[in-house]
PDB file of all heavy atoms in Angstrom:
ATOM      1  N   SER Z1524      41.435  54.667 158.096  1.00  0.00           N
ATOM      2  CA  SER Z1524      42.536  54.564 159.107  1.00  0.00           C
ATOM      3  C   SER Z1524      43.882  54.777 158.397  1.00  0.00           C
ATOM      4  O   SER Z1524      44.785  55.308 158.943  1.00  0.00           O
ATOM      5  CB  SER Z1524      42.497  53.216 159.800  1.00  0.00           C
ATOM      6  OG  SER Z1524      43.088  52.217 159.046  1.00  0.00           O
ATOM      7  N   ILE Z1525      43.988  54.345 157.110  1.00  0.00           N
ATOM      8  CA  ILE Z1525      45.233  54.617 156.383  1.00  0.00           C
ATOM      9  C   ILE Z1525      45.361  56.128 156.142  1.00  0.00           C
ATOM     10  O   ILE Z1525      46.445  56.687 156.285  1.00  0.00           O
ATOM     11  CB  ILE Z1525      45.189  53.918 154.983  1.00  0.00           C
ATOM     12  CG1 ILE Z1525      45.059  52.423 155.151  1.00  0.00           C
ATOM     13  CG2 ILE Z1525      46.417  54.289 154.208  1.00  0.00           C
ATOM     14  CD1 ILE Z1525      46.200  51.725 155.770  1.00  0.00           C
ATOM     15  N   GLY Z1526      44.239  56.821 155.876  1.00  0.00           N
ATOM     16  CA  GLY Z1526      44.245  58.282 155.808  1.00  0.00           C
ATOM     17  C   GLY Z1526      44.857  58.927 157.070  1.00  0.00           C
ATOM     18  O   GLY Z1526      45.667  59.822 156.962  1.00  0.00           O
ATOM     19  N   ILE Z1527      44.462  58.397 158.217  1.00  0.00           N
ATOM     20  CA  ILE Z1527      44.931  58.879 159.506  1.00  0.00           C
ATOM     21  C   ILE Z1527      46.461  58.605 159.642  1.00  0.00           C
ATOM     22  O   ILE Z1527      47.198  59.463 160.046  1.00  0.00           O
ATOM     23  CB  ILE Z1527      44.193  58.219 160.703  1.00  0.00           C
ATOM     24  CG1 ILE Z1527      42.718  58.645 160.663  1.00  0.00           C
ATOM     25  CG2 ILE Z1527      44.803  58.568 162.032  1.00  0.00           C
ATOM     26  CD1 ILE Z1527      42.439  60.116 160.976  1.00  0.00           C
ATOM     27  N   THR Z1528      46.827  57.378 159.282  1.00  0.00           N
ATOM     28  CA  THR Z1528      48.249  57.014 159.377  1.00  0.00           C
ATOM     29  C   THR Z1528      49.121  57.919 158.535  1.00  0.00           C
ATOM     30  O   THR Z1528      50.119  58.496 158.973  1.00  0.00           O
ATOM     31  CB  THR Z1528      48.510  55.545 158.928  1.00  0.00           C
ATOM     32  OG1 THR Z1528      47.563  54.725 159.635  1.00  0.00           O
ATOM     33  CG2 THR Z1528      49.873  55.122 159.198  1.00  0.00           C
ATOM     34  N   VAL Z1529      48.744  58.123 157.287  1.00  0.00           N
ATOM     35  CA  VAL Z1529      49.453  59.018 156.397  1.00  0.00           C
ATOM     36  C   VAL Z1529      49.386  60.456 156.963  1.00  0.00           C
ATOM     37  O   VAL Z1529      50.374  61.188 156.965  1.00  0.00           O
ATOM     38  CB  VAL Z1529      48.852  59.016 154.951  1.00  0.00           C
ATOM     39  CG1 VAL Z1529      49.674  59.957 154.084  1.00  0.00           C
ATOM     40  CG2 VAL Z1529      48.958  57.586 154.382  1.00  0.00           C
ATOM     41  N   GLY Z1530      48.146  60.832 157.493  1.00  0.00           N
ATOM     42  CA  GLY Z1530      48.019  62.141 158.065  1.00  0.00           C
ATOM     43  C   GLY Z1530      48.979  62.478 159.198  1.00  0.00           C
ATOM     44  O   GLY Z1530      49.534  63.576 159.265  1.00  0.00           O
ATOM     45  N   ARG Z1531      49.214  61.474 159.999  1.00  0.00           N
ATOM     46  CA  ARG Z1531      50.089  61.640 161.165  1.00  0.00           C
ATOM     47  C   ARG Z1531      51.520  61.957 160.607  1.00  0.00           C
ATOM     48  O   ARG Z1531      52.217  62.803 161.150  1.00  0.00           O
ATOM     49  CB  ARG Z1531      50.138  60.407 162.013  1.00  0.00           C
ATOM     50  CG  ARG Z1531      49.233  60.520 163.212  1.00  0.00           C
ATOM     51  CD  ARG Z1531      49.571  59.475 164.246  1.00  0.00           C
ATOM     52  NE  ARG Z1531      49.275  58.139 163.713  1.00  0.00           N
ATOM     53  CZ  ARG Z1531      48.629  57.204 164.383  1.00  0.00           C
ATOM     54  NH1 ARG Z1531      48.257  57.431 165.624  1.00  0.00           N
ATOM     55  NH2 ARG Z1531      48.377  56.026 163.828  1.00  0.00           N
ATOM     56  N   ILE Z1532      51.966  61.243 159.580  1.00  0.00           N
ATOM     57  CA  ILE Z1532      53.283  61.436 159.031  1.00  0.00           C
ATOM     58  C   ILE Z1532      53.379  62.776 158.372  1.00  0.00           C
ATOM     59  O   ILE Z1532      54.363  63.530 158.517  1.00  0.00           O
ATOM     60  CB  ILE Z1532      53.633  60.302 157.995  1.00  0.00           C
ATOM     61  CG1 ILE Z1532      53.591  58.932 158.669  1.00  0.00           C
ATOM     62  CG2 ILE Z1532      54.933  60.574 157.325  1.00  0.00           C
ATOM     63  CD1 ILE Z1532      53.552  57.766 157.685  1.00  0.00           C
ATOM     64  N   VAL Z1533      52.280  63.169 157.654  1.00  0.00           N
ATOM     65  CA  VAL Z1533      52.290  64.366 156.878  1.00  0.00           C
ATOM     66  C   VAL Z1533      52.145  65.643 157.625  1.00  0.00           C
ATOM     67  O   VAL Z1533      52.816  66.664 157.438  1.00  0.00           O
ATOM     68  CB  VAL Z1533      51.191  64.248 155.771  1.00  0.00           C
ATOM     69  CG1 VAL Z1533      50.938  65.622 155.105  1.00  0.00           C
ATOM     70  CG2 VAL Z1533      51.586  63.165 154.719  1.00  0.00           C
ATOM     71  N   LEU Z1534      51.161  65.623 158.580  1.00  0.00           N
ATOM     72  CA  LEU Z1534      50.772  66.892 159.207  1.00  0.00           C
ATOM     73  C   LEU Z1534      51.504  67.190 160.508  1.00  0.00           C
ATOM     74  O   LEU Z1534      51.549  68.359 160.903  1.00  0.00           O
ATOM     75  CB  LEU Z1534      49.226  66.841 159.482  1.00  0.00           C
ATOM     76  CG  LEU Z1534      48.359  66.790 158.242  1.00  0.00           C
ATOM     77  CD1 LEU Z1534      46.887  66.782 158.594  1.00  0.00           C
ATOM     78  CD2 LEU Z1534      48.629  67.943 157.322  1.00  0.00           C
ATOM     79  N   LEU Z1535      52.053  66.167 161.170  1.00  0.00           N
ATOM     80  CA  LEU Z1535      52.677  66.407 162.449  1.00  0.00           C
ATOM     81  C   LEU Z1535      54.214  66.392 162.195  1.00  0.00           C
ATOM     82  O   LEU Z1535      54.737  65.660 161.452  1.00  0.00           O
ATOM     83  CB  LEU Z1535      52.345  65.317 163.465  1.00  0.00           C
ATOM     84  CG  LEU Z1535      50.835  65.118 163.722  1.00  0.00           C
ATOM     85  CD1 LEU Z1535      50.648  64.047 164.824  1.00  0.00           C
ATOM     86  CD2 LEU Z1535      50.171  66.406 164.046  1.00  0.00           C
ATOM     87  N   ASN Z1536      54.913  67.323 162.913  1.00  0.00           N
ATOM     88  CA  ASN Z1536      56.358  67.411 162.783  1.00  0.00           C
ATOM     89  C   ASN Z1536      57.016  66.203 163.453  1.00  0.00           C
ATOM     90  O   ASN Z1536      56.702  65.933 164.646  1.00  0.00           O
ATOM     91  CB  ASN Z1536      56.881  68.717 163.347  1.00  0.00           C
ATOM     92  CG  ASN Z1536      56.678  69.839 162.365  1.00  0.00           C
ATOM     93  OD1 ASN Z1536      56.870  69.681 161.173  1.00  0.00           O
ATOM     94  ND2 ASN Z1536      56.271  70.989 162.841  1.00  0.00           N
ATOM     95  N   ALA Z1537      57.920  65.595 162.788  1.00  0.00           N
ATOM     96  CA  ALA Z1537      58.650  64.450 163.368  1.00  0.00           C
ATOM     97  C   ALA Z1537      59.517  64.977 164.534  1.00  0.00           C
ATOM     98  O   ALA Z1537      60.041  66.060 164.432  1.00  0.00           O
ATOM     99  CB  ALA Z1537      59.477  63.723 162.331  1.00  0.00           C
ATOM    100  N   GLY Z1538      59.707  64.175 165.551  1.00  0.00           N
ATOM    101  CA  GLY Z1538      60.593  64.493 166.634  1.00  0.00           C
ATOM    102  C   GLY Z1538      60.091  65.589 167.557  1.00  0.00           C
ATOM    103  O   GLY Z1538      60.822  66.212 168.283  1.00  0.00           O
ATOM    104  N   TRP Z1539      58.782  65.855 167.484  1.00  0.00           N
ATOM    105  CA  TRP Z1539      58.201  66.839 168.361  1.00  0.00           C
ATOM    106  C   TRP Z1539      58.157  66.412 169.802  1.00  0.00           C
ATOM    107  O   TRP Z1539      57.851  65.211 170.074  1.00  0.00           O
ATOM    108  CB  TRP Z1539      56.763  67.199 167.880  1.00  0.00           C
ATOM    109  CG  TRP Z1539      56.038  68.177 168.755  1.00  0.00           C
ATOM    110  CD1 TRP Z1539      56.127  69.567 168.684  1.00  0.00           C
ATOM    111  CD2 TRP Z1539      55.111  67.911 169.802  1.00  0.00           C
ATOM    112  NE1 TRP Z1539      55.297  70.128 169.597  1.00  0.00           N
ATOM    113  CE2 TRP Z1539      54.682  69.149 170.303  1.00  0.00           C
ATOM    114  CE3 TRP Z1539      54.553  66.740 170.332  1.00  0.00           C
ATOM    115  CZ2 TRP Z1539      53.741  69.251 171.329  1.00  0.00           C
ATOM    116  CZ3 TRP Z1539      53.674  66.835 171.379  1.00  0.00           C
ATOM    117  CH2 TRP Z1539      53.249  68.060 171.872  1.00  0.00           C
ATOM    118  N   THR Z1540      58.492  67.297 170.752  1.00  0.00           N
ATOM    119  CA  THR Z1540      58.330  66.933 172.158  1.00  0.00           C
ATOM    120  C   THR Z1540      57.451  68.005 172.806  1.00  0.00           C
ATOM    121  O   THR Z1540      57.318  69.112 172.274  1.00  0.00           O
ATOM    122  CB  THR Z1540      59.612  66.829 172.926  1.00  0.00           C
ATOM    123  OG1 THR Z1540      60.291  68.095 172.790  1.00  0.00           O
ATOM    124  CG2 THR Z1540      60.523  65.753 172.402  1.00  0.00           C
ATOM    125  N   ALA Z1541      56.887  67.712 173.962  1.00  0.00           N
ATOM    126  CA  ALA Z1541      55.966  68.674 174.652  1.00  0.00           C
ATOM    127  C   ALA Z1541      56.664  69.999 174.939  1.00  0.00           C
ATOM    128  O   ALA Z1541      56.025  71.032 174.898  1.00  0.00           O
ATOM    129  CB  ALA Z1541      55.458  68.028 175.891  1.00  0.00           C
ATOM    130  N   ALA Z1542      58.000  69.929 175.089  1.00  0.00           N
ATOM    131  CA  ALA Z1542      58.736  71.157 175.414  1.00  0.00           C
ATOM    132  C   ALA Z1542      58.663  72.198 174.233  1.00  0.00           C
ATOM    133  O   ALA Z1542      58.834  73.392 174.511  1.00  0.00           O
ATOM    134  CB  ALA Z1542      60.204  70.812 175.692  1.00  0.00           C
ATOM    135  N   ASP Z1543      58.417  71.723 173.030  1.00  0.00           N
ATOM    136  CA  ASP Z1543      58.405  72.636 171.864  1.00  0.00           C
ATOM    137  C   ASP Z1543      57.138  73.484 171.838  1.00  0.00           C
ATOM    138  O   ASP Z1543      57.024  74.435 171.104  1.00  0.00           O
ATOM    139  CB  ASP Z1543      58.522  71.853 170.551  1.00  0.00           C
ATOM    140  CG  ASP Z1543      59.766  71.057 170.498  1.00  0.00           C
ATOM    141  OD1 ASP Z1543      60.764  71.436 171.139  1.00  0.00           O
ATOM    142  OD2 ASP Z1543      59.787  69.974 169.835  1.00  0.00           O
ATOM    143  N   GLY Z1544      56.141  73.088 172.607  1.00  0.00           N
ATOM    144  CA  GLY Z1544      54.858  73.829 172.576  1.00  0.00           C
ATOM    145  C   GLY Z1544      53.959  73.329 171.490  1.00  0.00           C
ATOM    146  O   GLY Z1544      54.469  72.763 170.473  1.00  0.00           O
TER     147      GLY Z1544
END
Side-chain angles (χ1 to χ4, degrees):
Chain Z
S1524 80
I1525 300 292
I1527 295 291
T1528 309
V1529 180
R1531 264 196 294 225
I1532 299 168
V1533 165
L1534 296 180
L1535 305 185
N1536 279 321
W1539 178 84
T1540 58
D1543 302 332

